């Protein structure tokens, strides 16, 4: 006999005039002398349901005075609603109070700033906005798994604790069991890492790519989906120290195949969320980013643009537009350049490919020109770079040369080089920042508001 | 025109007498004067496909001498096979060599010990056993997501880096950006944690439960699925420093609901893997654990047993069996006791509930007897404890008392106590060690062999 609010919304006709039992929390309450209304949210659905109660209840007075967020169990009849904007309501026959919420509950019925809500990250998913954000986060994660699994990809758990700095890039968090009050030292006065848990220096991963490539050589198409870490002192709305990343890797595939996969994935997961999170997405479209649906439909309904870096530089130079950062071949594209390309020139997501090797990672496949590599960045209107990837260097001689240039030791990357010795194969992959995709899909502009308990400099609360 | 081996197996009829293009790696090769056979594995499928080539190929001599693991691209016709044990093979029209594998490739066609294969963790997924293990790992992970998502659960990413020790249990890894060669100290000579990245001491999470409960209070039914860490110096076949855990949490649910959920989940994911990984599971049943199918079917086809701890102690005492650890009320059940209960007495998975509070965590709901808590452990034949969970204490007075007994400061757990102040609700949850479930489903007995790149004391390779 116990029902969920979601079920009542999805199958209203079936339950009309039936008795149901609901349980949940009081979101709103108003009462008059002989009757009252409770908006009950049971967590199963974005919307709550209206409970009508009256003096037939023996505990009417107590119910009338219930505090916001009190937990109750309601038995009642589903009836057609008189009120506007809702199809049904519950005529209460019995309301049991499980706990009366303390009166200092911080989420009373008024608007709260996102900044304030971050300080009560344990309670904010009870608000409309964050209920919508974190349900979308869940559905988006599932869409990603579904897309890759249905396409035969193997989900690979690459290690979180790592003995190597994957890309030689980014500041890392050290992982240790040494007593920081009394760090053991070698005779030379250096940290004695042999005393540490793993017998060597270890850090939190910044990318699973290199490990992922090893599994690509066995399973052809794989993807990772796990947490990654950057110890950067960036206090911006787009950086977090801990975030989740998706990194597919595909064998016998060049950059074209990589772009096709990225485009198919982006379209699939956006469509999935729009289909599965109707109520949440309408909320975002109405209250968080006006025009969100137009933006997302524009992504769904157009082929993504494709342009080489060299062409992109020409477009920028010939645009007649003044940029803060001057444009010339060889520069790293800045946000203003990326936005011009996707928002003003292409007016849709666009892949920029074949960047100068100097501004890209050592593992990207060198083009025949000797100057550029088979990199790709996907730039999307409204957010800029959302995916970065490349075809990987599969020629061991070139790879070793590039590693030497980057100052990386072949010893540390023996396992990576092995992939080029024992059946090297053309392969490609990319990384998608999960939080950035959530921001894109919801219109939320601060990464702290799409991570349940965000970690940023000087902040690891909860 | 490019095909996958998996597609040819699944839709053989459709491709018979058609030309296809396959790419992959040479697993086996044998050749005679005028013809030869290659077993090609392309990563898409557990099994490889037989390529028949002959002197019609202009590069016949070169192909004949290909080394194991060389990467090739094959065009040919799908024909009915003459050989036993296979339905089709490929008559090669063209074989392009992408790379000839170096001759020191360690996976030549002989048996290798699991110990040796751990030293080449980047190559071992290319073997039959580990190809099967890690595809099952992927499919099992997906089954878990599918089960919870289809039942309306919200996937919650609880933090990996944490400022609090969740259960007050287990040794933790410290996460820091301090320079260990020169740790900043306070005037009192202690580590100056205000100089650290988060401005406080932080560690890697041992459980997402407490954070998960906060999202349970908003979304009713949630689950986590992420990495967790234990810095224990345990060099056993069942312990790893880094492993993945699933922790569902359900609102307005008591321990009965918790057990129902756990039983439904276990059955669902086992059945899913048996259906989706036919070839791999047959391999395990034949070569890794004889009787695996019987064991798993026994789980699928029986209701799980249910017994209280107190009853279980009676069963053990009255069994007439000699145990190494003597049995009396109050002891923590040892592996021998758990195995007797599930393997000899119940002969199926069994929930043991209502343990003495002294041997369980502070957050478990105290029973009216004041002595036991609403804990549950699921014991399974052949492996012992596979799930541990409880109904949570929802009474704030009792919870505060239990925390005080456990020596935990209410200040550190303010957010957790808030859940009992602002709409407390009956709720329950459990933890499933993902690797333990993989071991159970595959018959693999060492946890190092179900984690792509395992982390154990003195080992963080790759």
């Amino acid at each position: 006999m116990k029902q969920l609010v979601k079920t009542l919304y999805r199958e209203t006709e079936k339950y009309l005039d039936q008795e149901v039992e609901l349980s949940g929390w009081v979101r709103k309450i108003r009462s008059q002398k002989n009757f009252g209304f409770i908006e009950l949210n049971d967590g199963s659905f974005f919307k709550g349901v209206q409970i009508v109660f009256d003096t037939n209840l023996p505990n009417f007075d107590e119910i009338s005075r219930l505090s916001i967020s009190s937990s109750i169990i309601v038995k009642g009849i589903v009836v057609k609603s008189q009120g506007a904007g809702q199809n049904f309501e519950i005529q209460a026959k019995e309301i049991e109070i499980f706990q009366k919420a303390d009166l200092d509950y911080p989420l009373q019925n008024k608007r709260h700033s996102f900044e304030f809500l971050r300080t009560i990250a344990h309670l904010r998913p009870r608000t409309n906005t964050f209920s919508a954000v974190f349900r979308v986060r869940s559905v988006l994660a599932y869409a990603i798994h579904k897309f890759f699994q249905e396409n035969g990809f193997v989900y690979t758990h690459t290690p979180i604790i790592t003995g190597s700095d994957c890309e030689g890039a980014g500041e890392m968090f050290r992982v240790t069991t040494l007593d920081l009050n009394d760090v053991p030292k070698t005779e030379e006065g250096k940290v004695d890492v042999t005393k540490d848990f793993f017998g060597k220096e270890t850090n939190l991963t910044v990318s699973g790519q290199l490990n992922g490539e090893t599994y690509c050589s066995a399973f052809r198409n794989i993807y990772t989906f796990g947490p990654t870490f950057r110890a950067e002192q960036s206090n911006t709305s787009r950086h977090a120290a801990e975030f989740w990343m998706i990194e597919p890797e595909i064998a016998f595939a060049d950059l074209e195949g990589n772009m096709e996969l990225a485009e198919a994935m982006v379209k699939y997961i956006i469509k999935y969320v729009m289909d599965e999170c109707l109520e949440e997405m309408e909320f975002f479209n109405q209250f968080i980013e006006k025009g969100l649906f137009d933006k997302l439909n524009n992504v769904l309904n157009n082929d993504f643009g494709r342009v080489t870096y060299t062409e992109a530089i020409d477009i920028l130079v010939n645009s007649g537009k003044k940029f803060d950062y001057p444009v010339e071949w060889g520069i790293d594209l800045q946000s203003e350049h990326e936005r011009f390309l996707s928002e003003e020139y292409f007016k849709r997501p666009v892949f920029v490919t074949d960047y100068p090797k100097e501004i890209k990672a050592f593992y990207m496949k060198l083009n025949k020109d000797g100057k550029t590599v088979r990199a790709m960045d996907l730039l999307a209107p409204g957010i800029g770079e959302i995916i970065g990837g490349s075809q990987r260097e599969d020629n061991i001689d070139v790879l070793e040369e590039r590693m030497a240039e980057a100052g990386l030791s072949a010893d540390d990357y023996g396992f990576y080089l092995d992939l080029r010795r024992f059946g090297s194969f053309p392969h490609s992959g990319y990384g998608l920042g999960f939080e950035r995709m959530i921001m894109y899909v919801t219109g939320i502009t601060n990464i702290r508001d799409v991570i349940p308990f965000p970690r940023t400099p000087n902040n690891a609360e909860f």
Side-chain angles (χ1 to χ4, degrees), chain A:
Chain A
M1 201 182 71
K2 293 177 187 175
Q3 282 76 29
L4 297 176
V5 169
K6 179 172 183 174
T7 319
L8 299 191
Y9 270 95
R10 294 288 188 241
E11 302 170 52
T12 310
E13 288 301 322
K14 181 177 158 192
Y15 286 98
L16 269 187
D17 305 320
Q18 306 292 311
E19 182 169 327
V20 295
E21 180 177 324
L22 301 171
S23 50
W25 297 269
V26 174
R27 278 278 177 89
K28 289 181 188 166
I29 181 165
R30 63 199 158 89
S31 57
Q32 304 197 358
K33 198 163 167 228
N34 297 317
F35 63 94
F37 303 96
I38 288 172
E39 187 189 318
L40 180 84
N41 190 293
D42 77 346
S44 71
F45 196 57
F46 183 63
K47 294 180 183 176
V49 66
Q50 174 152 287
I51 312 288
V52 188
F53 62 96
D54 59 30
T55 46
N56 285 323
L57 296 187
N59 56 352
F60 173 81
D61 288 340
E62 203 180 4
I63 301 293
S64 299
R65 293 189 306 269
L66 271 180
S67 48
I68 300 290
S69 195
S70 292
S71 47
I72 58 176
I73 296 142
V74 180
K75 288 181 184 158
I77 310 290
V78 182
V79 296
K80 286 218 162 149
S81 174
Q82 321 296 323
Q86 53 190 30
N87 291 320
F88 66 95
E89 59 192 20
I90 310 294
Q91 198 78 46
K93 290 178 67 176
E94 200 183 312
I95 299 182
E96 181 195 330
I97 302 168
F98 190 83
Q99 195 242 349
K100 291 180 198 170
D102 286 7
L103 294 176
D104 56 341
Y105 183 61
L107 294 172
Q108 302 298 330
N109 288 320
K110 63 179 198 91
R111 284 209 167 226
H112 300 281
S113 72
F114 284 3
E115 288 76 14
F116 168 71
L117 292 172
R118 280 175 216 144
T119 68
I120 51 169
H122 60 311
L123 301 176
R124 67 177 176 168
R126 302 180 183 189
T127 65
N128 282 335
T129 300
F130 290 97
S131 156
V133 166
F134 291 111
R135 196 184 305 275
V136 163
R137 184 176 171 114
S138 168
V139 170
L140 193 63
Y142 186 55
I144 289 163
H145 282 297
K146 205 167 155 69
F147 172 80
F148 285 115
Q149 295 273 346
E150 288 178 353
N151 284 290
F153 284 60
V154 168
Y155 179 31
T156 302
H157 286 124
T158 51
I160 312 298
I161 298 172
T162 173
S164 66
D165 174 352
C166 162
E167 310 189 5
E171 295 193 60
M172 301 176 87
F173 288 102
R174 180 116 175 206
V175 175
T176 183
T177 54
L178 296 178
D179 179 358
L180 299 202
N181 278 306
D182 186 17
V183 176
K185 299 278 171 79
T186 61
E187 287 182 11
E188 294 80 41
K190 289 279 176 195
V191 179
D192 185 358
V193 292
T194 66
K195 298 268 190 346
D196 209 342
F197 189 89
F198 296 108
K200 62 195 274 194
E201 179 179 335
T202 50
N203 296 288
L204 290 179
T205 184
V206 297
S207 162
Q209 181 198 317
L210 303 196
N211 293 98
E213 282 185 49
T214 70
Y215 270 55
C216 178
S217 82
F219 293 111
R220 193 176 195 96
N221 295 329
I222 66 103
Y223 69 108
T224 72
F225 189 171
T228 46
F229 305 84
R230 300 281 157 88
E232 280 165 30
Q233 285 290 345
S234 313
N235 247 320
T236 80
S237 61
R238 293 157 61 97
H239 291 88
E242 175 180 318
F243 56 98
W244 286 63
M245 193 145 69
I246 296 99
E247 296 181 285
E249 192 76 30
I250 50 179
F252 294 96
D254 57 14
L255 200 68
E256 293 299 316
N258 209 20
M259 289 190 280
E260 280 166 26
L261 178 69
E263 180 167 343
M265 180 202 71
V266 167
K267 287 178 171 175
Y268 179 92
I269 62 180
I270 288 177
K271 180 157 189 337
Y272 190 83
V273 169
M274 289 178 82
D275 288 347
E276 297 293 318
C277 298
L278 284 177
E279 289 77 10
E280 288 83 358
M281 292 303 290
E282 270 172 20
F283 175 85
F284 292 128
N285 190 52
Q286 202 174 345
F287 296 108
I288 302 293
E289 180 180 340
K290 304 243 186 258
L292 179 68
F293 283 165
D294 292 340
K295 178 183 87 176
L296 296 178
N297 282 322
N298 181 50
V299 174
L300 294 184
N301 298 328
N302 285 293
D303 290 337
F304 293 3
R306 296 183 187 197
V307 65
T308 66
Y309 169 90
T310 302
E311 291 163 350
I313 292 292
D314 285 346
I315 289 169
L316 291 166
V317 166
N318 297 329
S319 69
K321 194 142 171 134
K322 274 263 178 216
F323 293 107
D324 292 340
Y325 292 85
V327 177
E328 60 172 342
W329 200 96
I331 64 159
D332 214 350
L333 296 182
Q334 301 298 316
S335 181
E336 56 176 340
H337 310 136
E338 296 181 343
R339 297 189 73 144
F340 174 80
L341 288 168
S342 65
E343 288 168 19
E344 296 187 46
Y345 191 87
F346 285 94
K347 296 186 169 58
R348 57 198 160 109
V350 56
F351 289 106
V352 180
T353 64
D354 302 288
Y355 286 74
K357 68 174 180 172
E358 285 76 14
I359 56 172
K360 288 292 181 185
F362 73 90
Y363 50 70
M364 297 186 176
K365 187 168 179 61
L366 192 64
N367 278 315
K368 290 201 178 115
D369 63 16
K371 294 192 307 182
T372 59
V373 289
R374 295 245 70 192
M376 67 175 208
D377 282 357
L378 176 60
L379 314 180
I383 195 159
E385 186 198 326
I386 195 159
I387 280 176
S390 70
Q391 186 168 343
R392 316 309 189 185
E393 185 55 71
D394 48 53
N395 181 302
I396 191 162
D397 298 325
V398 178
L399 183 60
E400 286 182 326
E401 209 168 294
R402 296 270 288 145
M403 283 173 62
E405 282 170 23
L408 300 171
S409 132
D411 286 351
D412 292 345
Y413 293 85
F415 77 94
Y416 193 65
L417 293 169
D418 275 358
L419 304 182
R420 280 74 183 168
R421 296 175 56 219
F422 302 132
S424 192
F425 57 109
H427 60 294
S428 302
Y430 61 82
L432 166 70
F434 183 50
E435 281 78 11
R436 195 158 288 187
M437 183 53 85
I438 305 171
M439 291 164 75
Y440 193 64
V441 167
T442 61
I444 296 283
T445 55
N446 195 311
I447 197 168
R448 290 168 182 78
D449 297 326
V450 300
I451 299 176
F453 300 95
R455 271 73 182 100
T456 51
N458 284 309
N459 176 41
E461 297 310 304
F462 304 101

